Amino acid sequence: MLKILHTSDWHLGRRLYGQTRYETFAAFLNWLYDCIVKQQIDVLIVAGDIFDSMTPSNKAQALYYEFLGRISQSGTCQHIIIVAGNHDSPSLLDAPKDVLKFLNVHIIGTACENIEEEVITLNNKNNEPQAIILAVPYLRDKDVRKSNAGESSTQKQSQVVAGITKHYAQATEFAAQKQNDYLKKYGKKVPLVATGHLMAIGGKTTSDDGVRDLYIGSLGGVSANMFDPIIDYVALGHLHVPQLVGGNEHIRYSGSPIPMGFGEANQQKQVLLIEFTDEMHIKPINIPTFQRLAQIKGDMDHITQQINQLKTLNEPVWIEVIYNAKQIVSNLSEQLHQLVQASDIEIIKINNTQTYQKILKQTEQSESLHDLSREDVFARCLETHDISEDQRTELMACFQEIVYEIEHDDVRAE
């Protein structure tokens, strides 16, 4: 039997509206270690976005390396596969890969020039192949297409999807050859597992999960049909909601292990256990809640009632309040903070919809940049300066392209 555990999107170092979450990340990694030991996991796959930033803090990196060290010493997990996501610095992940390889930690931060290097054979304790991994990281624009002057966003996206499809096809072809060779030599089929950090067509997101558009001018567009049927399981990262892709049981997002925003507050987080015996079995393992979040929406009476109910839990709760009644409450923040005094509840964010109805005419103190996306800020600048509608569309597209280039420039690379 071969046991693989699929997780992704740790986002170590991510803050929630200014609140650090290192204790929560540490609690998750401790739980993950215990889960690996308890379930006797052979292979751990982390499908990208290990860190939340290309320049992670020392504390976030310490959590990462301490976890890898503990797993390597546990004597349980034989191999760890880590691929980079769009939030990660490929060069940061790749830097220690030659050292970590001695601990059976296999890292692919950057798409390999020789695509065969992304196809990794994992051997068991008898030095026989137990799995073939297509360890494909997040494929950046420059990895899969050549830039040509004058291209439209649609043309760029089409070429990106074609490039990603070609990349997987070439890697799968080489992996299939390996699988066939092992079948002849050992008389058994070796499972073929692929990784990916991408946006699939029809993928579910939440409003404040921090998932970025991966390619210019598009929310994604990779079809499940891209993955060859010869692949036994596809371990995906990027989307924070656990889900199947195109209804296929064997193509899955594990989702993020902790809520990345209040929109995920009621979402059951999980990792995925894949067991290979005569058949493949997939079992979700629920992750406990390490820091309770709550999103409360309504008028003042409803908000008060919900907060009072949370008080009865007698445990720390971070909450977001969305006040959406028509009646204007001038001292909303003061009233809310009085409600949670002498309790374990902390109000992290207050969203007063009355504020948004006065956008650009009057800004209230309760609104901050945390409430706005970059596109919101830029759109307001365009409106403030009376830019015409025709020009706004073009300028917004240019703005998004600039942001894309900034985010995909690995600042740690030479």
Side-chain angles (χ1 to χ4, degrees):
M1 178 186 291
L2 171 67
K3 290 185 175 183
I4 296 177
L5 197 67
H6 167 203
T7 179
S8 71
D9 296 273
W10 295 355
H11 289 276
L12 299 178
R14 181 177 176 84
R15 293 170 176 258
L16 183 63
Y17 296 105
Q19 301 292 315
T20 59
R21 310 178 76 184
Y22 291 113
E23 289 184 3
T24 301
F25 290 123
F28 160 67
L29 292 175
N30 288 335
W31 175 87
L32 183 60
Y33 173 86
D34 292 339
C35 178
I36 289 170
V37 173
K38 179 181 178 181
Q39 297 290 338
Q40 295 292 292
I41 299 299
D42 300 300
V43 180
L44 172 66
I45 293 178
V46 189
D49 281 355
I50 292 84
F51 298 106
D52 191 58
S53 165
M54 288 193 180
T55 55
S57 67
N58 290 337
K59 202 163 185 177
Q61 293 184 61
L63 288 172
Y64 169 66
Y65 288 115
E66 287 170 7
F67 173 78
L68 295 182
R70 289 182 67 196
I71 290 296
S72 67
Q73 293 176 355
S74 69
T76 302
C77 189
Q78 299 173 44
H79 298 279
I80 300 175
I81 301 290
I82 296 175
V83 298
N86 60 301
H87 281 252
D88 296 314
S89 163
S91 56
L92 174 72
L93 290 184
D94 278 338
K97 66 185 297 183
D98 291 336
V99 175
L100 292 175
K101 192 179 294 184
F102 288 99
L103 301 178
N104 287 325
V105 179
H106 312 271
I107 297 177
I108 303 292
T110 309
C112 301
E113 291 185 13
N114 179 6
I115 205 166
E116 295 180 3
E117 295 177 10
E118 294 177 14
V119 181
I120 303 170
T121 298
L122 304 182
N123 292 332
N124 59 22
K125 293 178 181 179
N126 297 323
N127 206 32
E128 295 179 349
Q130 62 179 349
I132 302 169
I133 310 294
L134 277 69
V136 182
Y138 168 56
L139 297 173
R140 298 174 184 273
D141 190 44
K142 62 182 179 61
D143 297 327
V144 294
R145 76 175 189 93
K146 293 182 179 179
S147 180
N148 297 310
E151 291 177 312
S152 67
S153 296
T154 301
Q155 289 173 322
K156 291 177 183 178
Q157 173 65 10
S158 177
Q159 290 177 11
V160 164
V161 172
I164 293 173
T165 303
K166 181 179 178 182
H167 188 100
Y168 273 93
Q170 292 175 340
T172 304
E173 182 180 7
F174 179 68
Q177 292 174 0
K178 275 196 167 189
Q179 189 182 51
N180 190 50
D181 292 341
Y182 295 146
L183 179 62
K184 292 178 180 178
K185 184 175 181 179
Y186 297 98
K188 63 179 182 179
K189 178 190 173 184
V190 178
L192 186 56
V193 176
T195 70
H197 194 90
L198 46 81
M199 181 74 177
I201 293 175
K204 299 176 184 176
T205 62
T206 57
S207 59
D208 59 350
D209 59 9
V211 172
R212 299 174 183 167
D213 296 354
L214 288 187
Y215 303 108
I216 303 168
S218 174
L219 290 175
V222 177
S223 169
N225 296 331
M226 179 186 75
F227 300 106
D228 194 294
I230 197 175
I231 300 174
D232 294 293
Y233 183 79
V234 182
L236 295 178
H238 182 54
L239 299 188
H240 297 167
V241 180
Q243 58 195 283
L244 311 182
V245 175
N248 296 281
E249 288 285 337
H250 72 294
I251 307 176
R252 297 194 181 216
Y253 288 97
S254 62
S256 59
I258 67 173
M260 293 298 153
F262 286 99
E264 300 178 37
N266 296 321
Q267 193 182 107
Q268 176 60 64
K269 296 299 187 178
Q270 61 183 224
V271 293
L272 294 166
L273 171 60
I274 304 95
E275 294 182 343
F276 289 96
T277 51
D278 294 335
E279 297 180 350
M280 182 180 68
H281 301 278
I282 302 170
K283 174 187 174 184
I285 300 176
N286 290 340
I287 301 173
T289 300
F290 306 108
Q291 169 63 63
R292 184 180 293 275
L293 304 182
Q295 186 182 67
I296 302 174
K297 181 187 298 185
D299 59 19
M300 202 60 202
D301 288 341
H302 178 74
I303 292 169
T304 301
Q305 179 187 15
Q306 293 296 307
I307 288 177
N308 287 333
Q309 285 184 2
L310 289 174
K311 286 180 181 179
T312 64
L313 297 175
N314 293 319
E315 66 175 287
V317 184
W318 289 357
I319 67 172
E320 176 191 29
V321 174
I322 301 175
Y323 178 78
N324 61 4
K326 293 181 179 180
Q327 182 181 3
I328 296 176
V329 179
S330 59
N331 62 339
L332 178 64
S333 179
E334 289 82 356
Q335 287 192 44
L336 291 173
H337 284 97
Q338 285 178 4
L339 281 172
V340 300
Q341 278 185 350
S343 74
D344 292 325
I345 297 174
E346 187 173 356
I347 298 176
I348 304 299
K349 182 185 178 186
I350 300 173
N351 183 343
N352 187 347
T353 57
Q354 294 296 330
T355 299
Y356 294 100
Q357 294 172 6
K358 300 177 181 180
I359 285 173
L360 298 176
K361 295 181 180 179
Q362 178 182 354
T363 302
E364 294 194 3
Q365 292 181 353
S366 62
E367 183 180 43
S368 70
L369 284 176
H370 288 309
D371 300 315
L372 306 173
S373 68
R374 291 166 303 202
E375 286 75 13
D376 289 336
V377 175
F378 188 69
R380 293 187 185 193
C381 289
L382 296 178
E383 189 169 350
T384 300
H385 290 86
D386 296 323
I387 305 300
S388 68
E389 287 293 339
D390 292 341
Q391 288 181 308
R392 286 185 198 180
T393 302
E394 184 176 353
L395 288 172
M396 181 59 78
C398 291
F399 173 76
Q400 290 174 333
E401 187 161 351
I402 292 169
V403 170
Y404 173 88
E405 295 295 337
I406 292 172
E407 288 183 346
H408 289 71
D409 182 19
D410 187 355
V411 295
R412 292 181 179 270
E414 293 184 350

